[in-house]
Amino acid sequence: MDIDQTKIPQATAKRLPLYYRFLEGLQASGKHRVSSSELSEAVKVDSATIRRDFSYFGALGKKGYGYNVNYLLTFFRKTLDQDELTKVTLVGVGNLGTAFLNYNFSKSNNTRIEMAFDVADDKVGKEIGDVPVYHLDEFKNRIEDSNVEVVILTVPSQAAQSIADQLVEAGIKGILNFTPARISVPDDVRVHHIDLSVELQSLIYFLKHYPLK
Ligand code: ATP
């Protein structure tokens, strides 16, 4: 199962965590195989897309049998590095940041927020959901020893760009940006942008203009 991961299209790669979560649930409930239509129903991706996605890593479902759950999970674990604990950090311990610290991905996979940063006196020095909150000035020193490359950014949007510059300077390679600000980073840094209010507006728009039958 030696797959060249650079050949997996980005759109496919983005769906892998979705598949992974569902398959993990299946395995936990003792199921050993799954059909593409069953998967399709559960993750809301059409079955032709699922078949194409799976074909990139050599999982060819058998007619009348479906896909082998264990095979798929072994592959996904490898690809998503689920066997290793991925440590991430969070900057901005406001309402949203606090919710992430309490949630801390504990149920879904092996990603963990290791530490958090803020500048406010009433946040720095605290522990939230077992995660210590440090002053942002300590960012570079703290991450140097801990192998962290990814930051969840939940600061006010006016502060987002200057903080992003600071994170990049410290060696961060990925930013999950929850602020509405579009931040600029060098080419070797990846930013994924999640604007919850835009997502919500878009859902409402689609419901209104493209109602499902
Ligand atoms: P949220 O938007 O997460 O719901 P909120 O409304 O409680 O948060 P915001 O004003 O958006 O608060 O600030 C989010 C957090 O970012 C706060 O904890 C604030 O102290 C922190 N923050 C503000 N400026 C900076 C900065 N320059 N560096 C790091 N953290 C900052």
Side-chain angles (χ1 to χ4, degrees), residues 92-148:
V93 189
N95 288 315
L96 190 56
T98 301
F100 281 131
L101 296 183
N102 286 318
Y103 175 61
N104 216 347
F105 311 101
S106 49
K107 292 178 201 77
S108 47
N109 55 36
N110 292 347
T111 310
R112 193 172 70 210
I113 305 171
E114 199 64 2
M115 36 188 172
F117 295 87
D118 206 291
V119 288
D121 288 343
D122 60 335
K123 311 270 164 74
V124 173
K126 288 216 165 116
E127 270 200 8
I128 300 175
D130 287 336
V131 181
V133 182
Y134 301 115
H135 197 282
L136 191 65
D137 289 348
E138 296 176 35
F139 187 83
K140 195 168 182 176
N141 283 343
R142 293 269 178 198
I143 70 154
E144 235 156 40
D145 316 319
S146 63
N147 232 355
V148 171

